Amino acid sequence: GESVGLHLPTLSVQEGDNSIINCAYSNSASDYFIWYKQESGKGPQFIIDIRSNMDKRQGQRVTVLLNKTVKHLSLQIAATQPGDSAVYFCAERFSGATNKLIFGTGTLLAVQP
Amino acid sequence: DVKVTQSSRYLVKRTGEKVFLECVQDMDHENMFWYRQDPGLGLRLIYFSYDVKMKEKGDIPEGYSVSREKKERFSLILESASTNQTSMYLCASSPPGGDEKLFFGSGTQLSVL
């Protein structure tokens, strides 16, 4: 089956800078995407989602951008804080495959003080 | 807030043992899921359930079974544990209606010796 991949396995940023975590997906039929954050010793937590009929969605300090032309998804975190240090996963859902998400392998975000 | 509780944080078992991983959610969600998480492979779906006594195979069901006798509880069973089942196991739940937002437990790190 098709899988979701991440460009960078690790990302190191300075506290206060903006972070951009990228994700490439290969299934053009995917219609829904989610970003999760997983802190050490915890399960993944929902951050933000976006449907394929949108290009951009904003939350609190986070923005998800979807570029369907190149099948690319990104998560932007504004003013990165030490508490943002975690592994970030993107996931896609194939259109019509209800309740079945395909997860990427994750990117470790390390925030330097 | 939704709470998904996994009964054990760490488990150590021997090859050939029967292993039960328990998961309980308190938000009356219809859908429940079991994933395993391995370095470099991301989250892979083992089994999921839409309702009591219903179950569906995920992407890697071999060597596992599940039980859903009550709505709030979803158990993962390893009939005869093997060393390649050493992994982090994550339980998740979600409400019905196509919303793929999963709520995860904290995970059970299983080591099979």
Side-chain angles (χ1 to χ4, degrees):
Chain A
E2 298 186 43
S3 62
V4 178
L6 295 177
H7 292 310
L8 298 172
T10 60
L11 178 64
S12 183
V13 299
Q14 290 295 125
E15 181 178 357
D17 287 352
N18 297 334
S19 302
I20 300 176
I21 301 171
N22 296 304
C23 178
Y25 66 96
S26 55
N27 192 328
S28 57
S30 292
D31 65 351
Y32 179 71
F33 305 87
I34 305 181
W35 281 100
Y36 281 91
K37 171 187 180 183
Q38 186 174 23
E39 296 174 89
S40 181
K42 297 183 179 179
Q45 293 177 287
F46 171 85
I47 303 174
I48 193 167
D49 57 0
I50 189 168
R51 299 194 182 275
S52 58
N53 60 354
M54 301 172 67
D55 297 322
K56 179 179 179 179
R57 192 166 188 214
Q58 287 184 293
Q60 188 177 11
R61 280 201 308 119
V62 295
T63 301
V64 56
L65 298 177
L66 176 62
N67 186 330
K68 294 181 286 293
T69 302
V70 295
K71 296 198 275 291
H72 186 266
L73 188 71
S74 68
L75 177 70
Q76 300 179 358
I77 304 173
T80 313
Q81 302 169 358
D84 294 327
S85 294
V87 176
Y88 290 81
F89 295 93
C90 63
E92 64 178 321
R93 182 187 70 185
F94 298 167
S95 178
T98 306
N99 287 316
K100 189 171 180 180
L101 293 174
I102 304 298
F103 286 84
T105 53
T107 292
L108 173 62
L109 176 65
V111 182
Q112 308 301 324
Chain B
D1 282 348
V2 174
K3 188 151 186 180
V4 179
T5 303
Q6 295 184 230
S7 56
S8 302
R9 185 74 182 93
Y10 298 97
L11 273 180
V12 180
K13 297 291 181 181
R14 297 230 174 254
T15 302
E17 279 193 75
K18 189 169 186 176
V19 182
F20 293 86
L21 302 184
E22 306 289 346
C23 175
V24 176
Q25 50 96 3
D26 65 359
M27 282 301 290
D28 204 35
H29 285 170
E30 273 74 10
N31 306 319
M32 295 189 75
F33 307 81
W34 275 105
Y35 287 86
R36 65 178 281 176
Q37 183 176 27
D38 300 288
L41 297 177
L43 277 71
R44 293 180 291 166
L45 181 63
I46 305 171
Y47 266 97
F48 60 103
S49 169
Y50 289 129
D51 203 347
V52 176
K53 297 199 185 290
M54 294 184 68
K55 60 184 179 183
E56 298 274 350
K57 291 181 180 179
D59 298 316
I60 51 164
E62 296 78 19
Y64 304 95
S65 62
V66 289
S67 173
R68 184 118 184 251
E69 295 297 318
K70 294 184 178 181
K71 191 175 186 180
E72 68 271 17
R73 186 180 297 270
F74 193 35
S75 302
L76 180 69
I77 303 156
L78 287 66
E79 294 289 342
S80 178
S82 62
T83 54
N84 63 12
Q85 292 179 308
T86 292
S87 185
M88 170 68 79
Y89 289 89
L90 290 163
C91 175
S93 71
S94 72
D99 181 350
E100 309 302 346
K101 191 185 302 181
L102 299 177
F103 296 87
F104 284 89
S106 294
T108 296
Q109 179 62 52
L110 173 68
S111 296
V112 183
L113 306 179

